[in-house]
Amino acid sequence: MKEILTTTACAACSFRSLLFDKLTDEELQMLDRHRTYRDFKKGEVVVEEGERVHTFLYLKTGLVKLSKFTLNKKNHIISIAKPKTFIGLLTVFSDPYFQYTITAIEPSSICFIEIEAIKKLIGTNGFFALDVLGKICNVSDEIIKNRINICSKQLRGRIAYLLVYFAKEIYTNTKFNLPITRRELGELIDMSTENVIRILSEFRKDGLIRIQGNQIEILNFDMLKRISKFG
Amino acid sequence: MKEILTTTACAACSFRSLLFDKLTDEELQMLDRHRTYRDFKKGEVVVEEGERVHTFLYLKTGLVKLSKFTLNKKNHIISIAKPKTFIGLLTVFSDPYFQYTITAIEPSSICFIEIEAIKKLIGTNGFFALDVLGKICNVSDEIIKNRINICSKQLRGRIAYLLVYFAKEIYTNTKFNLPITRRELGELIDMSTENVIRILSEFRKDGLIRIQGNQIEILNFDMLKRISKFG
DNA sequence: CGCGGCTTTGATGTTCATCAAGTAAAGTGG
DNA sequence: CCACTTTACTTGATGAACATCAAAGCCGCG
């Protein structure tokens, strides 16, 4: 959070989420005054676990990961946040410190909105408050659903689930570049780096996917979905 | 949700959470008019996955579990909810249908508050809105933290984690009755029934716990905590 | 050019689910 | 109330799934 740049007003922001449509012009101007913005390179840390929460983070473009060290010194990735969503959302209202480390895994552009400004709006604009609630519930539900699903599958199922997730939810394309390393994939779905690689290779040999470095192309989406479902 | 009884007013309710302290007398009276209440026996289903959400559920006393069937037909327990908390909270604002089945695992007494009444209060009382947000974030955070922890441990660590959790968070006592069967314990921490039993026996043989049917007494809390931490 | 991090494959051993079989406890119906 | 059925609990044996170790190739970077 070093160098900080301001851009066009919120009202004109093409990345503005539906959330802010509930606000009046006046309220949007207020937001503008309590807002900063910054671009992050791939790999840059946005906030560190344990830092004090001053701002609400809105991801305009790019992709970030939320991760955390467990007690036995292993790193875990909790989730990958999509553009046009609020990140680090969960923790914001319950804890004054970030519970997770947030890192850009693609060049990302993030808006920092002062917590106090958001709180004020929640207090004064009921529609806005309900919308924020809805968004938070969505994000939580999604994370919990993903984790339950992943834990209940064996390795092949987990990898298939992940590939389907990237293709459908993140890139909306059967061809995409993996934004994270094989090791990080393992950290996301609780398995060893070696097995991530092994199973990706298996899928390649079985003709389900094509791999070139980080580029993945899904050749048999239906089969992957089936493996993801019953694996 | 069949037979329904009304009790003393919210304002006089000794199980009232801190949440409702943010409300005026008038608002509490409004709540009263949009509220019902019912007792559940152990094992009774409170709401079924897929049912439409009409009410906000507040657990006054007892204990309930939130569970869900995964695609491969296995039942999973997402969490166990403590008294004086809102249950089924997550889903309420994001989805019109319950995502999880809620079942009483101890005799429980639950208040049903109409969603629309709560939504109205959120719209008109900013402090209340912020409080609800905080509570929801807390519940979500807790669930996510638990799931990450459990997934990252091996079996001994998971059982230890669970025992510590029951003793500290639920019963605040080193001696307690397990509210769920061994099979359900397995569904909660992703392991087979047989191994739940095996590891409980191991802990017994190692002098860490005493077991008599469903009654557990923790004899060496520190060691369990250590196993939970590094297992 | 050499060091470190990422990727890949093979070999090995551990962890764990599953199967089998038996006991105990708790409902169920005559 | 007792035979009967079902569900929960328990232990041992087996094999499958998976982590770990080892070694080697690859690439970017100082």
Side-chain angles (χ1 to χ4, degrees), chain A residues 189-202:
Chain A
I189 56 178
D190 284 302
M191 57 190 279
S192 69
T193 312
E194 292 94 325
N195 279 329
V196 171
I197 290 160
R198 240 184 287 272
I199 286 163
L200 283 174
S201 295
E202 268 184 50

Side-chain angles (χ1 to χ4, degrees), chain A residues 76 90 94 137-138 141 151-152, chain B residues 76 90 94 137-138 141 151-152:
Chain A
H76 278 262
L90 300 164
S94 65
C137 287
N138 269 331
D141 268 353
C151 285
S152 72
Chain B
H76 278 260
L90 300 165
S94 66
C137 288
N138 270 331
D141 268 352
C151 285
S152 73

Side-chain angles (χ1 to χ4, degrees), chain B residues 30-229:
Chain B
M30 193 275 264
L31 262 195
D32 255 343
R33 288 192 302 276
H34 296 278
R35 183 183 67 78
T36 56
Y37 149 87
R38 202 191 134 195
D39 285 326
F40 289 84
K41 294 190 206 113
K42 181 174 176 140
E44 264 191 292
V45 172
V46 180
V47 291
E48 200 95 41
E49 182 183 344
E51 266 183 39
R52 203 170 174 86
V53 176
H54 297 291
T55 55
F56 220 74
L57 278 59
Y58 181 67
L59 181 63
K60 291 167 74 173
T61 59
L63 218 53
V64 301
K65 67 170 179 178
L66 276 65
S67 63
K68 192 182 180 68
F69 274 95
T70 45
L71 296 166
N72 44 12
K73 299 281 173 188
K74 287 198 170 180
N75 200 30
H76 278 260
I77 298 179
I78 285 82
S79 80
I80 292 184
K82 289 179 275 191
K84 297 206 184 191
T85 61
F86 291 93
I87 50 184
L89 205 62
L90 300 165
T91 204
V92 165
F93 293 100
S94 66
D95 200 305
Y97 300 96
F98 279 105
Q99 306 263 7
Y100 315 112
T101 295
I102 300 177
T103 314
I105 55 176
E106 282 187 0
S108 298
S109 137
I110 295 172
C111 230
F112 298 85
I113 308 160
E114 285 173 30
I115 277 286
E116 290 308 319
I118 296 277
K119 282 194 177 173
K120 201 168 173 186
L121 288 178
I122 287 174
T124 55
N125 185 329
F127 294 113
F128 180 72
L130 280 173
D131 254 24
V132 172
L133 265 167
K135 294 276 188 225
I136 290 189
C137 288
N138 270 331
V139 172
S140 308
D141 268 352
E142 185 86 1
I143 293 177
I144 293 171
K145 204 182 64 189
N146 279 340
R147 296 235 64 95
I148 297 283
N149 270 319
I150 283 168
C151 285
S152 73
K153 291 178 201 312
Q154 14 199 88
L155 303 195
R156 244 159 296 269
R158 293 187 204 171
I159 293 283
Y161 187 82
L162 208 58
L163 292 174
V164 169
Y165 180 78
F166 276 120
K168 263 180 70 175
E169 306 292 330
I170 310 260
Y171 296 105
T172 53
N173 195 329
T174 55
K175 202 171 177 178
F176 56 87
N177 281 311
L178 280 174
I180 53 177
T181 66
R182 312 286 197 265
R183 182 170 53 75
E184 287 173 308
L185 286 176
E187 288 170 359
L188 181 56
I189 56 178
D190 285 300
M191 57 191 278
S192 70
T193 312
E194 291 96 323
N195 279 329
V196 171
I197 290 162
R198 239 184 287 272
I199 287 162
L200 282 174
S201 295
E202 268 184 49
F203 284 176
R204 177 175 45 74
K205 284 175 201 150
D206 294 346
L208 299 175
I209 57 174
R210 186 174 295 145
I211 311 179
Q212 250 160 25
N214 283 330
Q215 186 176 264
I216 300 272
E217 187 184 354
I218 294 178
L219 303 174
N220 192 337
F221 200 82
D222 284 345
M223 182 57 92
L224 274 187
K225 254 164 107 176
R226 215 172 313 150
I227 294 173
S228 151
K229 210 166 173 179

